[in-house]
Amino acid sequence: MAAQAAAGAGGDDDSPLLDDLMPWSVRPLRTGRPWVTAPDAASLKARWERLVRAGAAERERLFRPTRSRTPQTPVAALPGQATGTGRFARESGPCPEPVRILHGPFDEQWLIPDHRLIDAARPELWRVADGHQLFAVEHGYVPQDTGPALSVTALLPGGHSPAGRPGRIRPLYRRPGGLEPNLAPGLLALLRDRHGDTVTERSVLAWTLAAARHSPAGCVVPLPADPERWSAGVELGQELLRLELRGARGGERPRLPGGRRPYVRASVPPVPTALGYDPADETLTLGTGRISPVPAGAWEFRVGGVRMLELWFERRAGAGAAGTDTLEAVRPRVWPQEWTSELLELITVLALLDGLRPRREGLADGPRITAGELRAAGVLPAPAAARRPASVLDHREEGPDGQFALL
């Protein structure tokens, strides 16, 4: 009740919070040591190799022990990952194959999927991360933030927030295989009664992506009572999903119209030191490198008040700044061509998302299905069990030092 009251007090006309509609959420990953993630997989393998070849004292220093993890800490394997569970101090094998993650909004990076290296890996997320899953990632509240309130990814999300105020991660499904939607019980039935039998858990996610708004109480999701507005919002949300998923789940990779596609006009130098933008000719500069045309909307695209292109560049050009004798310092000596290709795609995604902003205006106008109506219908509050992970009774996972547990 307090959450709905807070949403109403925030001036959103008693609209429900995303926390009400998708009750199960998980906190962001906490690695505890920055060297386990990187913009390229090769650096992670090189870091691992240096670590396992080091002597005991050097391994301890490079590892960066925390209260949760030291080289002597035995832990269970991450679900779905065939990695060691014995103490890392005894590890001498090859690096586990890095996995692609969403490190923060619109920033795809790599992670060593070894539970012994990650303070809080959130195993409950790994258990449901499969070819059917989609993750809604809230962006922490920042006053006067005009950026999106959340994003959606098919990758395992780290949940990092540009503004330092991480939100929650909400899987669309509570079980592997696209089973048991993470929606308040009764919500789908109520929406189908209002808007027709075509309402699915994915269309609810699409509407949420299009209509969600920031509020001090959390992400607010106005629900329309008008079927026409619902259809328009779902159509827009499906387009947003297509762009943010970047070809995952059988979709097409985003592309700007031919005359507006960004191209490399001058090669990115081996070590670009600064990122700049010239609005007059829509040119993005990376040192002496030049990319154009880059629409102003892509350059100005922000989440939590932070420009996404600047943050993406800083995480690559500034990597290893913690010191030369650290594992983070193991990184590409020259700018990889793959990063330029990723940058071109990111520019495309941000430009297309910015172009859809006008269609989002007005989605919250008109009659709504309020949180009060959802309470009266018995949809809210969601039962306590809906806020906990679903049990996985037939899944064997290796525990510490090779023991097995039935979950």
Side-chain angles (χ1 to χ4, degrees):
M1 296 288 288
Q4 285 90 355
D12 226 294
D13 194 24
D14 198 27
S15 290
L17 296 172
L18 182 59
D19 188 59
D20 298 320
L21 305 182
M22 298 182 73
W24 177 41
S25 66
V26 180
R27 287 181 294 173
L29 275 62
R30 189 179 75 250
T31 62
R33 47 201 54 79
W35 59 264
V36 300
T37 60
D40 68 300
S43 292
L44 294 179
K45 294 180 179 181
R47 292 170 185 178
W48 175 284
E49 185 69 14
R50 179 181 175 186
L51 185 62
V52 298
R53 287 179 177 274
E58 178 70 354
R59 180 180 292 205
E60 181 93 4
R61 184 187 69 81
L62 292 172
F63 186 93
R64 289 198 182 182
T66 59
R67 292 180 60 184
S68 298
R69 294 289 185 271
T70 76
Q72 300 294 335
T73 306
V75 295
L78 282 175
Q81 302 298 316
T83 57
T85 58
R87 290 165 173 78
F88 194 84
R90 301 195 297 262
E91 181 61 64
S92 60
C95 180
E97 194 61 33
V99 297
R100 195 73 158 157
I101 66 167
L102 191 70
H103 181 62
F106 308 106
D107 189 356
E108 297 183 0
Q109 295 201 20
W110 297 90
L111 169 73
I112 300 177
D114 192 312
H115 208 177
R116 298 170 296 178
L117 309 181
I118 306 171
D119 279 10
R122 315 302 179 198
E124 59 269 41
L125 285 181
W126 296 75
R127 290 191 185 104
V128 299
D130 62 8
H132 301 273
Q133 189 64 267
L134 296 175
F135 298 97
V137 184
E138 289 186 63
H139 305 315
Y141 174 73
V142 177
Q144 286 80 51
D145 184 9
T146 59
L150 77 158
S151 56
V152 174
T153 180
L155 299 175
L156 187 84
H160 293 274
S161 171
R165 298 176 176 84
R168 307 283 291 193
I169 300 169
R170 300 181 188 275
L172 180 57
Y173 298 105
R174 291 169 48 80
R175 298 179 186 273
L179 301 177
E180 193 176 333
N182 179 25
L183 297 174
L187 178 63
L188 273 179
L190 183 145
L191 291 175
R192 285 169 179 162
D193 184 61
R194 298 293 185 94
H195 302 312
D197 292 338
T198 60
V199 175
T200 65
E201 60 270 16
R202 182 153 175 151
S203 61
V204 174
L205 180 64
W207 169 268
T208 300
L209 185 59
R213 301 289 183 267
H214 294 286
S215 91
C219 189
V220 173
V221 184
L223 294 175
D226 175 12
E228 291 186 5
R229 267 195 313 124
W230 170 264
S231 296
V234 169
E235 182 180 355
L236 172 59
Q238 295 285 15
E239 180 66 9
L240 293 169
L241 275 173
R242 183 186 70 82
L243 295 176
E244 296 195 11
L245 295 182
R246 303 195 199 184
R249 305 294 182 262
E252 295 181 359
R253 301 199 78 88
R255 294 171 67 89
L256 282 163
R260 296 294 297 162
R261 291 176 191 165
Y263 292 95
V264 177
R265 310 297 180 175
S267 298
V268 179
V271 185
T273 56
L275 183 75
Y277 181 69
D278 184 349
D281 56 6
E282 296 187 312
T283 297
L284 188 72
T285 58
L286 297 84
T288 58
R290 295 173 61 252
I291 296 175
S292 69
V294 176
W299 170 250
E300 289 294 343
F301 198 100
R302 301 169 189 252
V303 175
V306 179
R307 282 195 183 104
M308 291 294 94
L309 288 178
E310 286 186 321
L311 182 60
W312 184 94
F313 177 78
E314 288 169 5
R315 285 174 171 168
R316 285 151 181 82
T324 58
D325 196 23
T326 63
L327 291 179
E328 300 98 283
V330 178
R331 57 187 296 265
R333 295 185 178 182
V334 298
W335 184 270
Q337 176 60 41
E338 292 78 9
W339 289 359
T340 301
S341 299
E342 293 174 15
L343 176 58
L344 292 173
E345 181 173 85
L346 178 58
I347 292 168
T348 297
V349 170
L350 298 182
L352 290 170
L353 289 174
D354 181 72
L356 293 174
R357 285 180 189 267
R359 290 175 56 186
R360 304 177 75 166
E361 299 299 326
L363 280 181
D365 296 341
R368 302 185 192 180
I369 302 171
T370 66
E373 291 179 69
L374 295 177
R375 290 193 292 272
V379 175
L380 300 183
R387 297 189 177 278
R388 298 192 293 267
S391 61
V392 184
L393 299 177
D394 58 351
H395 190 71
R396 285 170 57 87
E397 295 175 5
E398 185 174 341
D401 286 325
Q403 302 177 34
F404 278 88
L406 185 66
L407 300 178

